[in-house]
Amino acid sequence: MAESARIIDPSPAAKASKPMPVILLVDDDEITRISMAGRLKRLGYRVIEASDGVAGLAAIRAHRPDLVILDWMMPGLDGPSVCEALRADQELRSSQVVLMTAHDQPEQIAEGLSRGADDFLSKAASKQEVLARVQASLRSSALVREIERTRDDLDRSHRLLSAKQTELESELQSAADFVRAQLPLPGMPAPGVSMQWAYQPSLALGGDLFQVSAWGTDTLGLYILDASGHGVSAALRAVALMSFLREDNLAKAVGSFDPGAIITEANRRFPLTQDGEYFTLWVGRLHLPSRTLSYAAAGHCGAFLHSLEGTSQWLSSASLPLGFDPTIPFHSATAQLQPRDRLYLLSDGIYEAPSPTGELWGRDRLQATLETHRTHTLAHSIGEAMTTARLWLGGDIFPDDVALLGVEVLDGSASAKDKP
Amino acid sequence: MQIRERRIGQSVILDLMGELTYANRTIFKAAVERSKQGGCRHLILNMRGVRFLDSSALGTLALLTQSLSVTQGMVSLLNPQSYVQEIVTLANLHTLLPVYTSEQDALAGSRLPAAG
């Protein structure tokens, strides 16, 4: 097949600086083909010839000409059949095709167009008409090629972006897994104390973190922190503060487990960033034998003591977030827990969940929900609070990180006569 | 957010309108920077037209307080709406920067009456 296609050298006058359009001429009638090829060559085009439909298809595939001029009547595969074959081929379907015929009846033109031709050219056409139709078809061809190049560029860019996005999402997921691994395991962080939590960052990575862990033999350390902002930056800063709050680091850096002293030192070490980002922090220290809780807060309002028999209260007061004034001291306050009391640490993202009309859920509604489910298990109460917050929100995606941690002092976990 | 600047002596009053949030902080910081470049010693943020203040804005205000204090300057809040005043009070921000209910008091540099 390839042997039946040959390339005619262009005329010297047509050797311009810009690429010369390539036209494939497919006609089984050698005299007509040579004549038309000569006319096209004299018009300045590079011409490839093929002597039948099958050879023409092979030449299109091999040379990807800018324009194909097809004779209608050919043995074997005729012009319209070549058109159909082109339109059915994913790679060749955008080829620009002019059907050449000795007849130009309207019915024939309609059939040719319906079977895939772009235009018609009479074999008896004048030189001017041939030139006009060829030029018009080449303009269309150039536009189609340009669109294809743009599409290919877009496809390549899209594939590149998709690959980058996948890579980035994978890295974010790894970071999110790492951050989540820093959170405590639900269960019993110390004898006589149970703990459960729910955590839902607004993005893959959250800036709200919390921890419950033993600080010495008789003491439980608890904290919840909120890094302003969202995403990677907030999560990284949150993990940095979490490292500071590790028991072994506190012993070295603060020399005390007093919450006020811890926050005072953190306030000194974690100034506002250049972008004005900062932390709020609540730290508690529960002496297990006496169930005495000492606590301090830096701008964090999220600690609620739910007492079974005594008075429930929010364990926070107005205080500056970390870094707002690095010179000020923070002081501890105390609260006495009774058996089966529950201490909740929570991020503002849960009680600031907005309804569809913009009304915030609020701390009162959160407190009421927790109290309603007081007789159930801690896990159930936390689950119900999250469910009710989502109902209020009217969806599952909170606009801010949501953390709700509960600690319950069990019956007989300590002797009231022990004091810290 | 829309910001209008009024210069009165060495004080600049920025009339803020809209929400002071993370999304608007570039506009806000640019206005503040212009005031500082102009030699402002007392920046008064008129909050009457501010409906909402987010946690990012609290950090921006604290940072602004710190940066102006380095050059012996100061920042004040004027006429915050109830919701904004509640946030300022909860974050104890009124201990860092005075809150005024009268423009004359703010210009006089009086620290009374403070919010909270």
Side-chain angles (χ1 to χ4, degrees):
Chain A
M1 304 297 174
E3 291 78 12
S4 53
R6 65 189 177 96
I7 296 176
I8 295 176
D9 288 333
S11 66
K15 286 182 178 171
S17 57
K18 67 178 183 180
M20 190 181 306
V22 176
I23 299 174
L24 171 67
L25 185 59
V26 187
D27 195 333
D28 61 313
D29 185 319
E30 189 173 9
I31 295 173
T32 306
R33 192 176 73 237
I34 290 172
S35 166
M36 180 59 83
R39 292 171 78 178
L40 293 171
K41 192 183 76 169
R42 285 191 292 280
L43 289 170
Y45 300 112
R46 183 168 173 240
V47 180
I48 306 171
E49 292 180 52
S51 59
D52 58 47
V54 175
L57 270 178
I60 293 168
R61 200 175 297 284
H63 299 285
R64 302 295 171 92
D66 298 294
L67 175 62
V68 180
I69 298 177
L70 272 176
D71 186 25
W72 183 298
M73 298 290 291
M74 288 187 290
L77 206 59
D78 63 8
S81 300
V82 172
C83 285
E84 287 175 334
L86 286 176
R87 301 310 177 210
D89 190 308
Q90 188 66 32
E91 290 186 11
L92 306 179
R93 65 193 314 168
S94 62
S95 301
Q96 192 71 18
V97 180
V98 173
L99 264 180
M100 189 166 58
T101 174
H103 310 286
D104 53 0
Q105 298 303 314
E107 298 79 8
Q108 194 178 31
I109 291 173
E111 182 191 348
L113 291 173
S114 71
R115 293 179 67 182
D118 294 302
D119 198 2
F120 272 83
L121 182 63
S122 168
K123 288 187 174 180
S126 66
K127 178 182 174 183
Q128 289 77 14
E129 186 181 349
V130 171
L131 179 63
R133 288 199 182 277
V134 166
Q135 284 180 335
S137 293
L138 284 172
R139 279 198 298 275
S140 299
S141 174
L143 284 173
V144 170
R145 292 274 164 95
E146 183 62 35
I147 289 169
E148 285 179 335
R149 274 194 294 277
T150 304
R151 182 200 62 198
D152 291 346
D153 287 347
L154 283 173
D155 284 348
R156 270 193 297 278
S157 299
H158 183 256
R159 281 196 298 274
L160 201 64
L161 277 175
S162 295
K164 285 284 180 196
Q165 170 112 6
T166 303
E167 186 183 336
L168 200 61
E169 282 174 0
S170 170
E171 288 182 1
L172 271 176
Q173 191 55 52
S174 297
D177 292 343
F178 171 77
V179 169
R180 193 171 271 269
Q182 309 305 305
L183 301 177
L185 289 174
M188 296 187 67
V193 178
S194 74
M195 181 262 291
Q196 297 290 332
W197 51 260
Y199 179 58
Q200 187 177 321
S202 62
L203 301 172
L205 280 168
D208 285 54
L209 293 176
F210 50 86
Q211 186 56 271
V212 177
S213 62
W215 284 351
T217 52
D218 289 336
T219 308
L220 201 60
L222 319 90
Y223 65 79
I224 184 165
L225 66 90
D226 182 354
S228 66
H230 301 285
V232 176
S233 168
L236 287 175
R237 289 187 295 110
V239 170
L241 180 53
M242 213 173 188
S243 297
F244 170 79
L245 293 168
R246 281 172 43 185
E247 180 194 12
D248 54 344
N249 186 64
L250 290 175
K252 283 188 294 186
V254 184
S256 161
F257 292 112
D258 172 66
I262 291 169
I263 292 185
T264 300
E265 184 61 21
N267 184 49
R268 198 177 64 78
R269 293 189 180 220
F270 293 89
L272 282 165
T273 70
Q274 289 185 334
D275 289 329
E277 300 294 2
Y278 61 93
F279 295 101
T280 58
L281 174 65
W282 187 97
V283 177
R285 177 188 179 213
L286 179 61
H287 183 251
L288 294 169
S290 64
R291 301 188 202 93
T292 303
L293 175 73
S294 55
Y295 63 93
H300 204 294
C301 305
F304 173 60
L305 175 58
H306 189 186
S307 181
L308 188 63
E309 294 175 351
T311 307
S312 295
Q313 55 182 313
W314 288 89
L315 304 178
S316 57
S317 57
S319 56
L320 286 173
L322 292 188
F324 275 35
D325 182 352
T327 65
I328 58 169
F330 289 80
H331 302 289
S332 295
T334 58
Q336 187 63 46
L337 274 66
Q338 302 300 324
R340 299 185 62 202
D341 279 358
R342 289 175 176 178
L343 173 64
Y344 291 101
L345 306 187
L346 48 113
S347 61
D348 54 5
I350 187 166
Y351 59 78
E352 289 185 350
S355 72
T357 60
E359 185 182 356
L360 303 185
W361 194 33
R363 294 205 304 188
D364 291 346
R365 290 190 184 93
L366 169 62
Q367 179 175 339
T369 304
L370 292 172
E371 287 171 345
T372 299
H373 298 281
R374 178 63 179 91
T375 55
H376 296 91
T377 64
L378 188 56
H380 178 89
S381 298
I382 289 174
E384 284 299 316
M386 292 293 289
T387 300
T388 311
R390 288 191 188 98
L391 284 173
W392 179 267
L393 183 71
D396 290 331
I397 309 298
F398 290 90
D400 198 359
D401 298 342
V402 167
L404 177 57
L405 166 99
V407 170
E408 180 170 352
V409 179
L410 304 176
D411 277 330
S413 63
S415 166
K417 67 178 186 296
D418 294 329
K419 295 292 176 190
Chain B
M1 154 162 273
Q2 291 183 317
I3 302 176
R4 188 179 62 163
E5 179 185 301
R6 291 183 282 141
R7 288 185 174 274
I8 302 172
Q10 286 191 311
S11 298
V12 170
I13 299 175
L14 293 181
D15 297 311
L16 310 177
M17 280 151 285
E19 297 185 345
L20 191 52
T21 61
Y22 180 87
N24 292 326
R25 67 177 179 173
T26 305
I27 299 170
F28 176 70
K29 283 181 172 178
V32 166
E33 198 53 39
R34 277 195 302 275
S35 301
K36 286 163 72 177
Q37 295 292 332
C40 166
R41 298 292 301 276
H42 184 188
L43 186 63
I44 300 167
L45 304 175
N46 181 5
M47 309 290 280
R48 185 183 294 278
V50 175
R51 300 181 297 270
F52 181 71
L53 188 77
D54 70 359
S55 59
S56 168
L58 287 176
T60 303
L61 290 177
L63 196 64
L64 179 59
T65 305
Q66 290 180 5
S67 69
L68 273 174
S69 69
V70 170
T71 55
Q72 309 301 312
M74 65 180 291
V75 188
S76 301
L77 296 185
L78 174 62
N79 281 324
Q81 295 183 16
S82 59
Y83 181 73
V84 171
Q85 179 154 330
E86 185 182 328
I87 293 173
V88 167
T89 304
L90 278 173
N92 231 18
L93 202 63
H94 58 287
T95 62
L96 289 184
L97 71 173
V99 181
Y100 297 104
T101 53
S102 139
E103 191 170 307
Q104 284 71 30
D105 286 347
L107 287 168
S110 165
R111 286 182 171 267
L112 291 175

